[in-house]
Amino acid sequence: MRTLPALAAAALVTLAGAAHAVLKPGDPAPAFSTQAALAGKPFAFDLKAALARGPVVLYFFPKAFTSGCTVEAHAFAEKTPEFAALGATVVGVSNDDIDTQLRFSSEACRDKFAVASDPKAEVISAYDARFGGLFKTASRISYVIDRSGRIVYAHEGSDPLVHVAETFKAVQALKAGAPAAAAR
């Protein structure tokens, strides 16, 4: 039988192994196209096309309709008009299928921004956004990508409201011509 300190040490090793590298400011943002949903309607999302219109807030979330992901979607929905006023597009990505994203885009995203379907976790992998050992599940990671296709801000953390607030600050700094804060 293991002792409590041995179990705690094993848990820490497991958690440490679950950590991964997040793309850093200055890194090129991997280009991608995938099925997405906006206001309950499917469309083809293409990062390059979105960047032609302005910066992109690309956020990864673990699972549609879970409590934290719904809170985050509601917060991004409330802030989307302010992101849009700065010329930024918001898009969320998870490994949920497109049928789930169609519902999530209306119910949780309140028809305000798109959510992309990445069932094979190809985009999740390209952005180093996998959640630990769960190959297809995304971690909660947000990126701000400038029009040139470079990451200018990255944030990884469990608090969904912090993602919205921090990415908004990064977009404001980008609009003002100031460097965004370092990745966290």
Side-chain angles (χ1 to χ4, degrees), residues 1-12:
M1 183 167 165
R2 290 187 164 176
T3 64
L4 189 55
L7 288 174
L12 285 175

Side-chain angles (χ1 to χ4, degrees), residues 117-130:
S117 177
D118 187 23
K120 293 182 181 176
E122 293 167 338
V123 179
I124 292 167
S125 294
Y127 279 83
D128 289 335
R130 283 188 308 270

Side-chain angles (χ1 to χ4, degrees), residues 3 44 112 144-145 147 161 164 169 180 182:
T3 64
K112 299 287 186 183
V144 175
I145 305 166
R147 291 185 74 163
L161 299 179
V164 178
K169 287 179 193 174

Side-chain angles (χ1 to χ4, degrees), residues 5-183:
L7 288 174
L12 285 175
V13 169
T14 301
L15 288 175
H20 59 284
V22 174
L23 299 179
K24 305 286 185 242
D27 287 348
F32 70 93
S33 296
T34 192
Q35 284 188 303
L38 176 62
K41 298 193 176 6
F43 75 102
F45 178 85
D46 180 76
L47 179 63
K48 186 175 179 182
L51 289 172
R53 296 185 303 272
V56 171
V57 175
L58 177 64
Y59 84 93
F60 293 88
F61 61 97
K63 191 79 176 146
F65 297 109
T66 58
S67 61
C69 297
T70 299
V71 165
E72 186 173 32
H74 287 176
F76 268 118
E78 287 178 21
K79 203 76 167 164
T80 293
E82 293 176 60
F83 279 109
L86 296 173
T89 298
V90 175
V91 63
V93 178
S94 74
N95 74 323
D96 291 294
D97 61 41
I98 191 63
D99 290 335
T100 301
Q101 297 296 43
L102 290 169
R103 285 188 11 249
F104 195 66
S105 73
S106 286
E107 294 175 28
C109 305
R110 300 177 176 166
D111 299 336
K112 299 287 186 183
F113 66 93
V115 283
S117 177
D118 187 23
K120 293 182 181 176
E122 293 167 338
V123 179
I124 292 167
S125 294
Y127 279 83
D128 289 335
R130 283 188 308 270
F131 182 76
L134 302 175
F135 173 71
K136 288 188 175 184
T137 302
S139 187
R140 194 173 309 282
I141 296 175
S142 298
Y143 293 104
V144 175
I145 305 166
D146 70 10
R147 291 185 74 163
S148 74
R150 295 268 174 203
I151 293 171
V152 296
Y153 180 77
H155 178 79
E156 181 176 22
S158 61
D159 187 330
L161 299 179
V162 171
H163 284 265
V164 178
E166 294 299 318
T167 56
F168 186 72
K169 287 179 193 174
V171 171
Q172 285 178 311
L174 184 61
K175 181 74 172 180

